[in-house]
Amino acid sequence: MRDRVGQDGTEQGGTARCSNPHDRTGVTRRGLGGLALGAAAGALARPALAQGAPLRVGLMLPYSGTFAQLGENITTAFEMHLAERGGKLGGRAVTVIKLDDASDPAAAPGNVNRLLNRDKADVLVGTVHSGVVMALVQAAREKGVPLLIPNAGNVAASRDLCSASVFRTSFSNWQPGFGMGKALAAMGVKKAVWVTWDYAAGKEQGEGFRDGLKAGGAELVQVLTLPFPETNFQPILAQLPGLGVEAVGAFFAGGGAVQFVRDYAAAGLRDKLPLCGSGFLTEGTLAAQGAAAEGIRTALHYGDGLDIPKNAVFRAAFKAKAGREADVYAVQGYDAAQLLAAGVDAVKGDMDADAALFAAMRGARIDSPRGAFTLSASHNPVQNIYLREARGGENKVIGVAAEALADPGTGCKLA
Ligand code: PHB
């Protein structure tokens, strides 16, 4: 794990392994829903907070490992929106603190602790991995610190562990899986298998896939897994032809997705068993996947060529800043900054006004490159899930797999 130094005056994050992960003393925020301490105790424990002082935003994201590129794109687009606002939110300058979580769930509690206790973050933004995000959700629930999730789809964050202080600008794992299953059934497929890493994101996207297939009268017959972030796919690939299915659905992302799509083609399966999946399978990876990705259909809340004016402007600005094409991760990072801006502007930078801050974020309409969206009651985007096909290095939108899809939000009770 490496430390990071921002290029533009932002602070350096720490290494991921550190002190006792259970030590959260010294940071006490105002209570929410009876989960944390009361207003007076929180106010006393906080550093003297001059509201004119910079707003400290802690970015906890992967900058190493298989999801490194995802973290980079989220960060670049988040900072791009801050720059569009002159580096200020609610009249306050913003200091961004970056910490590499390396997609390591074991190190996550310690990393969150660092951002809150050492770096004195006022707001948390993170992360990519569904296991790692749970430490951020726990901190937000216990301490009332605002958390914006710019990727990780763990359904618990929108269901039984939803919270007044937790907001997502990405998706719940169930959403793209459901869209893909529904679209596949509509194409006439009756039996499919799901292949993925064995952790929350793969499992929950598979559940969405199963539900979508079922809604269209089709069946998920089996789920095949390997541990995250392993990439020895050969034992799984060898089993696929014998399963009696007409299609293979998959969740992999980042470096793992590049490898899986290449190995699938190299195993001679591409023309025998159509490969599809949640859109992460071909997102930000097409250049590296090359011809192996050609024709793969996926479902996601974004597509490169989405004919929306905001998308064209966003993609041009991102390319100019980053020197590479935007992808869904960039979109989610950009929208996290937009959502934070909606809240902080509404309270004119007064982060103690958390009821008003959260109300403004809850009610925001985000002018996203994916198309404008609002949040569901459990603070997750209500959004179209597009059907895309990989063609000539682009994820071309070929239809809408599920319109204005909300996560069911089962078990979410917000105070
Ligand atoms: C997740 O762990 O929730 C996750 C990671 C990478 C993705 C999508 C979801 O591309």
Side-chain angles (χ1 to χ4, degrees), residues 67 70 103 127-133 151-154 168 171 173 197 199-202 204-205 228 251-254 278-281 283 300 328-329 332:
F67 291 158
L70 287 57
S103 297
T127 185
V128 165
H129 185 285
S130 269
V132 176
V133 83
N151 186 72
N154 197 315
R168 186 145 52 193
F171 56 91
N173 283 321
W197 281 312
Y199 82 105
E204 293 167 358
Q205 288 177 38
F228 175 85
F251 162 69
F252 295 104
S278 45
F280 313 110
L281 193 61
E283 195 64 20
L300 201 65
V328 76
Y329 308 106
Q332 294 166 172

Side-chain angles (χ1 to χ4, degrees), residues 57-281:
V57 180
L59 257 56
M60 182 167 133
L61 288 162
Y63 300 112
S64 60
T66 200
F67 291 158
Q69 185 65 45
L70 287 57
E72 295 287 357
N73 278 6
I74 290 169
T75 303
T76 300
F78 185 89
E79 293 186 324
M80 190 171 101
H81 187 63
L82 290 183
E84 286 169 5
R85 291 176 161 268
K88 285 189 167 183
L89 297 180
R92 289 173 72 180
V94 176
T95 298
V96 173
I97 305 138
K98 297 167 193 167
L99 191 150
D100 178 11
D101 69 30
S103 297
D104 180 0
N111 284 333
V112 175
N113 192 43
R114 278 180 172 228
L115 281 175
L116 292 176
N117 290 343
R118 182 194 65 183
D119 301 326
K120 309 282 181 228
D122 299 302
V123 177
L124 296 173
V125 177
T127 185
V128 165
H129 185 285
S130 269
V132 176
V133 83
M134 294 322 291
L136 289 159
V137 168
Q138 189 180 344
R141 284 170 60 86
E142 287 177 357
K143 301 173 198 309
V145 60
L147 167 65
L148 292 93
I149 305 174
N151 186 72
N154 197 315
V155 297
S158 305
R159 298 187 187 174
D160 47 324
L161 294 181
C162 74
S163 168
S165 55
V166 175
F167 297 83
R168 186 145 52 193
T169 58
S170 51
F171 56 91
S172 85
N173 283 321
W174 182 86
Q175 287 175 303
F178 180 84
M180 191 64 245
K182 191 165 172 254
L184 200 58
M187 289 175 218
V189 166
K190 292 287 174 217
K191 286 180 192 294
V193 61
W194 184 249
V195 180
T196 189
W197 281 312
D198 186 12
Y199 82 105
K203 179 172 174 289
E204 293 167 358
Q205 288 177 38
E207 287 166 1
F209 187 62
R210 176 201 64 201
D211 292 353
L213 285 169
K214 201 167 163 202
E219 190 192 350
L220 177 65
V221 297
Q222 207 167 334
V223 176
L224 298 176
T225 63
L226 76 167
F228 175 85
E230 284 182 17
T231 53
N232 176 16
F233 300 116
Q234 299 310 328
I236 287 180
L237 294 175
Q239 292 179 58
L240 295 176
L243 294 179
V245 295
E246 304 141 66
V248 175
F251 162 69
F252 295 104
V258 171
Q259 189 69 37
F260 181 75
V261 167
R262 281 194 191 150
D263 287 1
Y264 196 88
L269 291 169
R270 210 165 76 89
D271 299 325
K272 292 188 192 142
L273 257 182
L275 175 63
C276 66
S278 45
F280 313 110
L281 193 61

